[in-house]
Short mmCIF file of all heavy atoms in Angstrom, two decimals:
data_model
loop_
_atom_site.label_atom_id
_atom_site.label_comp_id
_atom_site.label_asym_id
_atom_site.label_seq_id
_atom_site.Cartn_x
_atom_site.Cartn_y
_atom_site.Cartn_z
N VAL A 629 -39.44 8.43 15.28
CA VAL A 629 -40.53 8.33 16.26
C VAL A 629 -41.19 9.70 16.31
O VAL A 629 -40.55 10.70 16.63
CB VAL A 629 -40.00 7.94 17.65
CG1 VAL A 629 -41.14 7.94 18.66
CG2 VAL A 629 -39.31 6.58 17.61
N ASP A 630 -42.46 9.73 15.96
CA ASP A 630 -43.21 11.01 15.90
C ASP A 630 -42.47 12.04 15.05
O ASP A 630 -42.37 13.22 15.41
CB ASP A 630 -43.44 11.55 17.32
CG ASP A 630 -44.32 10.65 18.16
OD1 ASP A 630 -45.20 9.98 17.58
OD2 ASP A 630 -44.12 10.61 19.39
N GLY A 631 -41.94 11.60 13.92
CA GLY A 631 -41.33 12.52 12.97
C GLY A 631 -39.92 12.96 13.31
O GLY A 631 -39.41 13.88 12.68
N THR A 632 -39.28 12.31 14.28
CA THR A 632 -37.95 12.72 14.71
C THR A 632 -37.05 11.49 14.83
O THR A 632 -37.46 10.47 15.39
CB THR A 632 -37.99 13.45 16.05
OG1 THR A 632 -38.80 14.62 15.92
CG2 THR A 632 -36.59 13.88 16.49
N VAL A 633 -35.84 11.63 14.32
CA VAL A 633 -34.83 10.58 14.46
C VAL A 633 -33.70 11.12 15.32
O VAL A 633 -33.10 12.16 14.99
CB VAL A 633 -34.26 10.14 13.10
CG1 VAL A 633 -33.16 9.09 13.29
CG2 VAL A 633 -35.35 9.62 12.19
N VAL A 634 -33.40 10.46 16.42
CA VAL A 634 -32.20 10.71 17.21
C VAL A 634 -31.53 9.35 17.35
O VAL A 634 -32.04 8.47 18.05
CB VAL A 634 -32.52 11.31 18.59
CG1 VAL A 634 -31.23 11.51 19.39
CG2 VAL A 634 -33.26 12.63 18.44
N ALA A 635 -30.41 9.16 16.64
CA ALA A 635 -29.86 7.81 16.54
C ALA A 635 -28.34 7.84 16.58
O ALA A 635 -27.70 8.85 16.28
CB ALA A 635 -30.34 7.15 15.25
N ASP A 636 -27.78 6.69 16.95
CA ASP A 636 -26.34 6.51 16.99
C ASP A 636 -25.99 5.13 16.44
O ASP A 636 -26.86 4.42 15.92
CB ASP A 636 -25.79 6.71 18.40
CG ASP A 636 -26.43 5.77 19.42
OD1 ASP A 636 -27.09 4.78 19.00
OD2 ASP A 636 -26.27 6.01 20.63
N ASP A 637 -24.74 4.74 16.55
CA ASP A 637 -24.29 3.49 15.95
C ASP A 637 -25.07 2.28 16.47
O ASP A 637 -25.39 1.36 15.70
CB ASP A 637 -22.79 3.29 16.23
CG ASP A 637 -21.94 4.37 15.59
OD1 ASP A 637 -22.14 4.64 14.39
OD2 ASP A 637 -21.08 4.93 16.28
N ALA A 638 -25.38 2.28 17.75
CA ALA A 638 -26.12 1.16 18.32
C ALA A 638 -27.51 1.04 17.68
O ALA A 638 -27.98 -0.06 17.38
CB ALA A 638 -26.24 1.31 19.83
N ALA A 639 -28.16 2.18 17.46
CA ALA A 639 -29.49 2.17 16.84
C ALA A 639 -29.42 1.71 15.39
O ALA A 639 -30.29 0.96 14.93
CB ALA A 639 -30.12 3.56 16.93
N TYR A 640 -28.40 2.17 14.66
CA TYR A 640 -28.29 1.74 13.27
C TYR A 640 -28.17 0.22 13.19
O TYR A 640 -28.83 -0.43 12.37
CB TYR A 640 -27.08 2.39 12.58
CG TYR A 640 -26.98 3.88 12.76
CD1 TYR A 640 -25.76 4.49 13.00
CD2 TYR A 640 -28.11 4.69 12.70
CE1 TYR A 640 -25.66 5.86 13.17
CE2 TYR A 640 -28.03 6.06 12.88
CZ TYR A 640 -26.79 6.64 13.12
OH TYR A 640 -26.68 7.99 13.30
N GLU A 641 -27.30 -0.34 14.03
CA GLU A 641 -27.08 -1.78 13.98
C GLU A 641 -28.31 -2.56 14.42
O GLU A 641 -28.64 -3.61 13.84
CB GLU A 641 -25.88 -2.16 14.85
CG GLU A 641 -25.52 -3.63 14.79
CD GLU A 641 -24.25 -3.95 15.55
OE1 GLU A 641 -23.76 -3.08 16.31
OE2 GLU A 641 -23.73 -5.07 15.38
N ALA A 642 -29.01 -2.06 15.42
CA ALA A 642 -30.14 -2.81 15.98
C ALA A 642 -31.41 -2.67 15.16
O ALA A 642 -32.21 -3.61 15.08
CB ALA A 642 -30.40 -2.34 17.41
N GLU A 643 -31.62 -1.50 14.52
CA GLU A 643 -32.93 -1.20 13.95
C GLU A 643 -32.96 -1.14 12.43
O GLU A 643 -34.03 -1.24 11.83
CB GLU A 643 -33.45 0.11 14.53
CG GLU A 643 -33.60 0.06 16.06
CD GLU A 643 -34.12 1.37 16.62
OE1 GLU A 643 -35.01 1.97 16.00
OE2 GLU A 643 -33.62 1.80 17.68
N MET A 644 -31.82 -0.96 11.78
CA MET A 644 -31.81 -1.00 10.32
C MET A 644 -31.82 -2.44 9.83
O MET A 644 -31.43 -3.36 10.56
CB MET A 644 -30.55 -0.29 9.78
CG MET A 644 -30.59 1.21 9.83
SD MET A 644 -29.08 1.91 9.05
CE MET A 644 -29.48 3.66 9.12
N SER A 645 -32.25 -2.62 8.59
CA SER A 645 -32.12 -3.95 8.00
C SER A 645 -30.65 -4.31 7.88
O SER A 645 -29.78 -3.43 7.85
CB SER A 645 -32.78 -3.99 6.63
OG SER A 645 -32.00 -3.29 5.68
N GLU A 646 -30.37 -5.58 7.80
CA GLU A 646 -28.96 -6.01 7.70
C GLU A 646 -28.29 -5.44 6.46
O GLU A 646 -27.14 -5.00 6.53
CB GLU A 646 -28.90 -7.54 7.67
CG GLU A 646 -27.48 -8.09 7.65
CD GLU A 646 -27.45 -9.60 7.72
OE1 GLU A 646 -28.48 -10.21 8.05
OE2 GLU A 646 -26.37 -10.18 7.45
N ASP A 647 -29.02 -5.41 5.34
CA ASP A 647 -28.44 -4.89 4.09
C ASP A 647 -28.15 -3.40 4.20
O ASP A 647 -27.08 -2.93 3.79
CB ASP A 647 -29.38 -5.15 2.92
CG ASP A 647 -29.42 -6.62 2.52
OD1 ASP A 647 -28.52 -7.38 2.94
OD2 ASP A 647 -30.36 -7.00 1.80
N ASP A 648 -29.10 -2.63 4.75
CA ASP A 648 -28.89 -1.19 4.89
C ASP A 648 -27.75 -0.88 5.84
O ASP A 648 -26.94 0.01 5.59
CB ASP A 648 -30.17 -0.51 5.38
CG ASP A 648 -31.25 -0.45 4.31
OD1 ASP A 648 -30.90 -0.49 3.11
OD2 ASP A 648 -32.44 -0.36 4.67
N TYR A 649 -27.70 -1.62 6.94
CA TYR A 649 -26.63 -1.39 7.91
C TYR A 649 -25.27 -1.69 7.29
O TYR A 649 -24.30 -0.96 7.50
CB TYR A 649 -26.84 -2.23 9.16
CG TYR A 649 -25.74 -2.07 10.18
CD1 TYR A 649 -25.59 -0.86 10.86
CD2 TYR A 649 -24.85 -3.10 10.45
CE1 TYR A 649 -24.56 -0.69 11.79
CE2 TYR A 649 -23.84 -2.95 11.38
CZ TYR A 649 -23.69 -1.74 12.04
OH TYR A 649 -22.68 -1.56 12.95
N GLN A 650 -25.18 -2.74 6.50
CA GLN A 650 -23.92 -3.09 5.87
C GLN A 650 -23.49 -2.02 4.87
O GLN A 650 -22.31 -1.67 4.78
CB GLN A 650 -24.02 -4.44 5.18
CG GLN A 650 -22.69 -5.00 4.73
CD GLN A 650 -21.71 -5.19 5.87
OE1 GLN A 650 -22.10 -5.58 6.98
NE2 GLN A 650 -20.43 -4.91 5.63
N LEU A 651 -24.44 -1.48 4.11
CA LEU A 651 -24.12 -0.37 3.21
C LEU A 651 -23.55 0.81 3.98
O LEU A 651 -22.57 1.42 3.57
CB LEU A 651 -25.37 0.07 2.43
CG LEU A 651 -25.82 -0.78 1.26
CD1 LEU A 651 -27.13 -0.23 0.70
CD2 LEU A 651 -24.77 -0.82 0.16
N LEU A 652 -24.18 1.13 5.11
CA LEU A 652 -23.73 2.26 5.92
C LEU A 652 -22.31 2.03 6.44
O LEU A 652 -21.45 2.91 6.35
CB LEU A 652 -24.70 2.48 7.09
CG LEU A 652 -24.37 3.63 8.04
CD1 LEU A 652 -24.36 4.96 7.31
CD2 LEU A 652 -25.37 3.66 9.20
N VAL A 653 -22.06 0.85 6.97
CA VAL A 653 -20.74 0.53 7.51
C VAL A 653 -19.67 0.64 6.44
O VAL A 653 -18.57 1.15 6.67
CB VAL A 653 -20.74 -0.89 8.13
CG1 VAL A 653 -19.32 -1.35 8.43
CG2 VAL A 653 -21.58 -0.91 9.40
N GLU A 654 -19.98 0.20 5.23
CA GLU A 654 -19.00 0.18 4.16
C GLU A 654 -18.78 1.56 3.55
O GLU A 654 -17.69 1.84 3.04
CB GLU A 654 -19.43 -0.81 3.08
CG GLU A 654 -19.37 -2.25 3.55
CD GLU A 654 -19.85 -3.24 2.51
OE1 GLU A 654 -20.28 -2.78 1.41
OE2 GLU A 654 -19.82 -4.46 2.77
N ILE A 655 -19.79 2.43 3.59
CA ILE A 655 -19.66 3.72 2.92
C ILE A 655 -19.04 4.79 3.82
O ILE A 655 -18.39 5.73 3.33
CB ILE A 655 -21.03 4.21 2.39
CG1 ILE A 655 -20.83 5.16 1.19
CG2 ILE A 655 -21.84 4.89 3.48
CD1 ILE A 655 -20.19 4.52 -0.02
#
Side-chain angles (χ1 to χ4, degrees):
V629 176
D630 296 329
T632 300
V633 177
V634 178
D636 57 14
D637 296 312
Y640 310 140
E641 184 174 12
E643 300 180 40
M644 284 184 175
S645 73
E646 184 176 346
D647 288 344
D648 287 336
Y649 178 68
Q650 191 59 37
L651 283 176
L652 180 61
V653 168
E654 292 177 357
I655 206 64

